[in-house]
C-alpha cells in the first residue's frame, strides 16, 4: 500500500489503514497514538512500524479535542504596529511554536467594542488560553468561558469582572526614576505628555507623575500636562503649547513609545534645546542625536512571565488571580541630560 502525503493530491493514510498494516485492532492504534497505557510492547512496536511505513500523521486537532485541549492560544492586543505589542506577539508565537501550539492574534485599536467582538470571536474557537491587553471597563463577557476552564492572562493592564492573572510594568517606579533624573539635572518645569486616560497605564503613569513632582515639592502646572491620543498633528500642537510660552517647559516626559516617536518628529531641529525622557524605549533610540534617555520595559520579560502564568493556570483554571509587576530600568543616553536653558 502506497499513500502519498506530500501534497500531491492523494489522500493521507488513516488510522484504520495503520491497524490493517499492523494486524491489530483499530482501538489498539488509537491507544498507541494517544500514548495510553495497557498496550503491550509487542503491539506498540507493530503499530509504530506501520505508522513509519505509511508515514501516518495523527490528527492533532482531534487528539487535543479528545483531551479537552485545542492547542490554540489567542492573543488580543492594541496594535501590532506598536513595538511593545509586536514584541509580545512574537514572544508568544515563539513559545507556541516550540510547544506544538498555534497562535491567533487580534487587534482592538483601543476600542472596547472591538475588544469584546474579537475576544468573543476567538473564544468561540475554544482556545486553551487568552492573553490580552484589556481596554474596556470590564471583561465580564468572558466569565462563562473562564468558568468553563479557559485560562486568561492580561498583560500591561489588569482585567475586571473575571478571575485572571496579570503582568504589569512597574509604572510608578519608572515615572519616579524619570522625574528623579530630570530633577537632578536641574529641571522643575517638566511637561508630561501621556496617552488617553481610559488606558490603565496612562492613568497609572500620570498619577505617578503628580506624586513624584509633589515628592520633590514642585507644583504641577496643569498647562504642562497633556493627555491625548498620540497623533502627529496633536503632538505638534502640544509641543507648541508647552514650549512656545513665556515660561516654557525645560524638560519633557513622554509617557509611551508612540507619543515619543511623535515628540521626536515635532522636535526636529531643536532636540538639543529641551530635555526628553521617554517611558518606553525605541528600537533605534541609541542612534539618535542626542541618544534617547528612556525608561525601558522588556516586552520579552513580560511575555515570558505571562506565558509562565498561563502554563500554571491551565491545570488550575479556578485558582485566585495573581498579579506580577515587572521592573523597569532607566537607560541614560543624552536626551535626558540636557540642562535647563534658563
Amino acid at each position: 500500500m502506497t499513500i502519498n502525503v506530500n501534497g500531491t493530491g492523494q489522500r493521507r493514510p488513516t488510522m484504520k489503514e495503520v491497524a490493517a498494516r499492523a494486524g491489530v485492532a483499530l482501538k489498539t492504534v488509537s491507544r498507541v497514538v494517544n500514548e495510553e497505557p495497557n498496550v503491550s510492547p509487542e503491539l506498540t512496536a507493530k503499530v509504530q512500524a506501520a505508522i513509519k511505513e505509511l508515514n501516518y500523521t495523527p490528527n492533532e486537532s482531534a487528539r487535543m479535542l479528545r483531551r479537552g485541549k485545542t492547542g490554540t492560544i489567542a492573543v488580543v492586543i492594541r496594535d501590532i504596529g506598536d513595538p511593545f505589542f509586536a514584541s509580545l506577539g512574537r514572544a508568544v508565537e515563539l513559545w507556541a511554536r516550540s510547544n506544538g501550539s498555534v497562535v491567533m492574534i487580534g487587534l482592538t485599536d483601543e476600542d472596547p467594542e472591538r475588544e469584546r467582538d474579537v475576544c468573543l470571536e476567538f473564544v468561540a474557537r475554544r482556545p486553551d488560553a487568552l492573553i490580552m491587553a484589556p481596554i474596556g471597563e470590564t471583561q465580564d463577557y468572558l466569565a462563562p468561558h473562564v468558568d468553563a476552564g479557559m485560562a486568561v492572562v492580561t498583560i500591561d493592564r489588569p482585567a475586571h469582572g473575571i478571575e485572571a492573572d496579570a503582568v504589569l510594568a512597574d509604572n510608578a517606579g519608572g515615572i519616579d526614576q524619570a522625574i528623579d533624573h530630570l530633577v537632578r539635572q536641574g529641571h522643575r518645569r517638566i511637561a508630561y505628555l501621556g496617552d488617553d486616560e481610559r488606558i490603565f497605564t496612562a492613568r497609572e503613569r500620570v498619577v505617578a507623575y503628580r506624586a513624584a513632582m509633589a515628592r520633590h515639592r514642585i507644583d504641577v502646572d496643569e498647562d504642562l500636562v497633556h493627555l491625548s491620543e498620540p497623533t502627529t498633528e496633536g503632538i505638534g500642537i502640544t509641543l507648541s503649547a508647552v514650549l512656545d510660552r513665556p515660561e516654557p517647559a525645560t524638560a519633557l516626559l513622554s509617557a509611551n513609545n508612540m507619543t515619543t516617536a511623535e515628540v521626536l518628529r515635532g522636535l526636529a531641529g531643536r532636540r538639543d534645546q529641551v530635555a526628553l525622557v521617554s517611558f518606553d524605549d525605541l528600537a533605534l533610540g541609541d542612534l539618535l542625536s542626542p541618544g534617547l534617555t528612556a525608561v525601558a520595559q522588556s516586552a520579552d520579560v513580560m511575555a515570558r512571565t505571562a506565558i509562565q502564568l498561563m502554563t500554571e493556570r491551565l491545570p488550575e483554571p479556578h485558582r485566585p488571580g495573581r498579579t506580577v509587576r515587572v521592573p523597569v530600568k532607566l537607560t541614560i543616553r543624552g536626551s535626558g541630560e540636557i540642562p535647563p536653558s534658563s
Side-chain angles (χ1 to χ4, degrees):
M1 181 188 300
T2 301
I3 300 174
N4 192 303
V5 294
N6 296 318
T8 58
Q10 298 186 42
R11 64 182 178 82
R12 295 175 178 272
T14 67
M15 192 179 292
K16 185 176 180 179
E17 289 163 339
V18 172
R21 173 62 66 91
V24 301
L26 180 60
K27 191 172 184 178
T28 300
V29 176
S30 177
R31 285 176 173 170
V32 172
V33 168
N34 290 294
E35 300 175 356
E36 296 176 7
N38 303 321
V39 182
S40 71
E42 180 183 359
L43 291 181
T44 298
K46 286 184 177 181
V47 172
Q48 290 174 341
I51 287 173
K52 185 174 181 180
E53 290 173 13
L54 297 177
N55 200 12
Y56 170 75
T57 303
N59 185 330
E60 196 66 23
S61 295
R63 182 162 63 167
M64 287 183 172
L65 281 169
R66 283 194 295 273
R67 294 177 175 178
K69 302 295 181 183
T70 62
T72 303
I73 308 299
V75 177
V76 177
I77 55 179
R78 169 182 184 168
D79 179 6
I80 203 68
D82 184 315
F84 174 80
F85 289 116
S87 296
L88 166 65
R90 176 166 176 76
V92 176
E93 161 64 23
L94 290 174
W95 177 87
R97 192 186 309 170
S98 64
N99 285 272
S101 299
V102 294
V103 176
M104 303 183 291
I105 296 182
L107 310 180
T108 66
D109 296 322
E110 299 292 22
D111 181 343
E113 289 301 316
R114 176 66 180 159
E115 172 200 296
R116 180 188 176 94
D117 291 345
V118 171
C119 285
L120 289 178
E121 181 178 339
F122 278 179
V123 299
R125 300 170 188 267
R126 298 178 58 194
D128 298 328
L130 169 65
I131 297 176
M132 67 182 301
I135 179 61
E137 292 183 1
T138 181
Q139 286 69 49
D140 58 3
Y141 56 86
L142 292 173
H145 306 280
V146 172
D147 291 343
M150 183 181 70
V152 177
V153 180
T154 67
I155 196 160
D156 201 41
R157 311 153 191 184
H160 300 283
I162 57 172
E163 196 71 58
D165 296 321
V167 182
L168 311 176
D170 182 9
N171 293 305
I175 294 294
D176 282 350
Q177 291 181 55
I179 294 296
D180 290 351
H181 183 70
L182 289 170
V183 170
R184 282 195 297 269
Q185 312 308 309
H187 295 281
R188 295 184 68 83
R189 295 196 301 278
I190 303 171
Y192 181 88
L193 283 58
D195 211 335
D196 190 325
E197 279 193 284
R198 292 180 307 157
I199 301 171
F200 171 81
T201 50
R203 292 196 302 273
E204 277 210 331
R205 291 173 193 176
V206 72
V207 168
Y209 161 78
R210 295 182 187 282
M213 293 287 277
R215 182 163 47 81
H216 285 285
R217 296 179 178 156
I218 301 173
D219 292 334
V220 173
D221 182 343
E222 294 300 331
D223 289 337
L224 298 182
V225 179
H226 291 261
L227 305 173
S228 62
E229 183 181 354
T231 64
T232 300
E233 180 180 7
I235 294 299
I237 293 171
T238 294
L239 289 176
S240 178
V242 301
L243 297 178
D244 302 330
R245 59 194 306 251
E247 291 190 343
T250 61
L252 307 175
L253 174 51
S254 175
N256 61 77
N257 54 19
M258 303 294 277
T259 296
T260 299
E262 296 300 341
V263 167
L264 289 169
R265 192 192 313 274
L267 286 177
R270 53 176 176 173
R271 289 180 188 165
D272 59 348
Q273 298 172 20
V274 58
L276 170 64
V277 175
S278 170
F279 196 117
D280 280 344
D281 204 354
L282 298 183
L284 301 179
D286 59 327
L287 300 182
L288 298 172
S289 181
L292 180 65
T293 295
V295 176
Q297 55 178 337
S298 173
D300 286 343
V301 170
M302 294 182 76
R304 288 198 300 271
T305 304
I307 291 166
Q308 178 64 36
L309 290 173
M310 178 192 74
T311 57
E312 292 175 0
R313 177 165 284 277
L314 283 170
E316 298 182 82
H318 303 298
R319 66 165 171 75
R322 300 174 186 166
T323 298
V324 177
R325 287 277 182 178
V326 177
V328 296
K329 180 182 179 181
L330 181 69
T331 301
I332 297 172
R333 297 196 185 105
S335 69
E337 294 67 67
I338 297 172
S341 57
S342 61

